[in-house]
Amino acid sequence: SAVISQKPSRDICQRGTSLTIQCQVDSQVTMMFWYRQQPGQSLTLIATANQGSEATYESGFVIDKFPISRPNLTFSTLTVSNMSPEDSSIYLCSVAGWWGGLSNTEAFFGQGTRLTVV
Amino acid sequence: DAKTTQPPSMDCAEGRAANLPCNHSTISGNEYVYWYRQIHSQGPQYIIHGLKNNETNEMASLIITEDRKSSTLILPHATLRDTAVYYCIVPLKGGGYQKVTFGTGTKLQVIP
């Protein structure tokens, strides 16, 4: 299993500013994911973060808006840049499950960062 | 990737079994079905997964049809704490890892 800690748990930010969200895992993991959950909606995958390489972004998300760092195997950050009220969401990080042969494990999720942009 | 279809909402009386269906008709032979749930304001929580055999753990049972085109998650004795959005997911497979994308899920309301 993996225990994931996110900081901050919530924040209220002014439009035009940036917020960096931290995700700490209690074990070394290769692949991490960042999600956004807009009010009343399901989770949408933002990007895949592999240690030692550039993050891979899903359609509709760009690095300039959501830069991601992955400096080591237990930590990642997501920055929400130049924020607008439309960025008000819950942002979650996740540790990937593995597959292959007899090993098919589940994904683990942080409790999320609730961001409100005013 | 295999698309899943779930009813948007269901009600269940407290203490009764909750049966949540999921269609995944395009699932391929080596793809697993996973179930997660999200209780309000929390991160998603893993429940159970299976390939073709029925599975049971301390939280739930998973029944997969023989053709693997659908499955049912069973919460045997639903409690108020089981009120949540339940997601049936067939993860995409990358280089050894799973990529989890969420549909709209089923909002289960357990009624006293």
Side-chain angles (χ1 to χ4, degrees):
Chain A
S1 66
V3 177
I4 301 172
S5 301
Q6 277 189 240
K7 289 181 181 179
S9 58
R10 58 178 63 228
D11 207 343
I12 300 173
C13 300
Q14 296 290 323
R15 67 176 67 200
T17 63
S18 298
L19 176 71
T20 295
I21 301 167
Q22 299 179 4
C23 181
Q24 180 75 52
V25 187
D26 69 342
S27 58
Q28 294 185 337
V29 296
T30 303
M31 203 65 69
M32 296 176 70
F33 299 92
W34 286 97
Y35 294 83
R36 180 177 73 182
Q37 187 169 29
Q38 295 175 299
Q41 304 295 312
S42 182
L43 288 80
T44 301
L45 182 62
I46 298 173
T48 304
N50 191 0
Q51 195 273 334
S53 62
E54 293 281 334
T56 302
Y57 289 83
E58 298 296 308
S59 175
F61 297 95
V62 295
I63 187 171
D64 290 346
K65 177 66 176 177
F66 298 101
I68 289 171
S69 78
R70 187 77 207 278
N72 57 53
L73 290 173
T74 63
F75 188 78
S76 179
T77 67
L78 170 76
T79 299
V80 186
S81 303
N82 188 25
M83 289 183 286
S84 67
E86 291 72 33
D87 294 319
S88 296
S89 297
I90 299 173
Y91 293 86
L92 300 100
C93 69
S94 168
V95 168
W98 288 89
W99 69 275
L102 296 177
S103 175
N104 282 270
T105 65
E106 66 272 27
F108 295 91
F109 294 83
Q111 290 305 299
T113 296
R114 185 180 295 272
L115 170 63
T116 302
V117 183
V118 298
Chain B
D1 56 316
K3 178 180 172 60
T4 62
T5 305
Q6 300 177 250
S9 64
M10 293 181 65
D11 290 339
C12 178
E14 187 178 18
R16 304 297 293 269
N19 296 280
L20 292 88
C22 178
N23 287 323
H24 33 78
S25 57
T26 60
I27 195 170
S28 65
N30 63 351
E31 289 182 318
Y32 281 68
V33 179
Y34 279 74
W35 284 81
Y36 293 84
R37 73 180 182 184
Q38 186 177 28
I39 297 171
H40 183 63
S41 297
Q42 298 183 20
Q45 175 191 24
Y46 164 79
I47 302 172
I48 199 168
H49 71 281
L51 181 62
K52 55 184 178 181
N53 297 322
N54 298 337
E55 302 287 345
T56 296
N57 63 20
E58 65 278 3
M59 289 183 68
S61 294
L62 176 61
I63 308 298
I64 302 174
T65 58
E66 191 170 343
D67 63 8
R68 301 188 70 240
K69 293 185 177 181
S70 65
S71 60
T72 301
L73 178 74
I74 301 173
L75 307 178
H77 305 287
T79 71
L80 298 179
R81 289 175 294 180
D82 292 321
T83 293
V85 179
Y86 287 77
Y87 296 98
C88 168
I89 294 170
V90 178
L92 295 169
K93 292 178 180 176
Y97 66 91
Q98 301 171 15
K99 182 173 163 181
V100 176
T101 57
F102 290 81
T104 53
T106 296
K107 186 171 184 178
L108 175 68
Q109 182 72 48
V110 180
I111 302 169

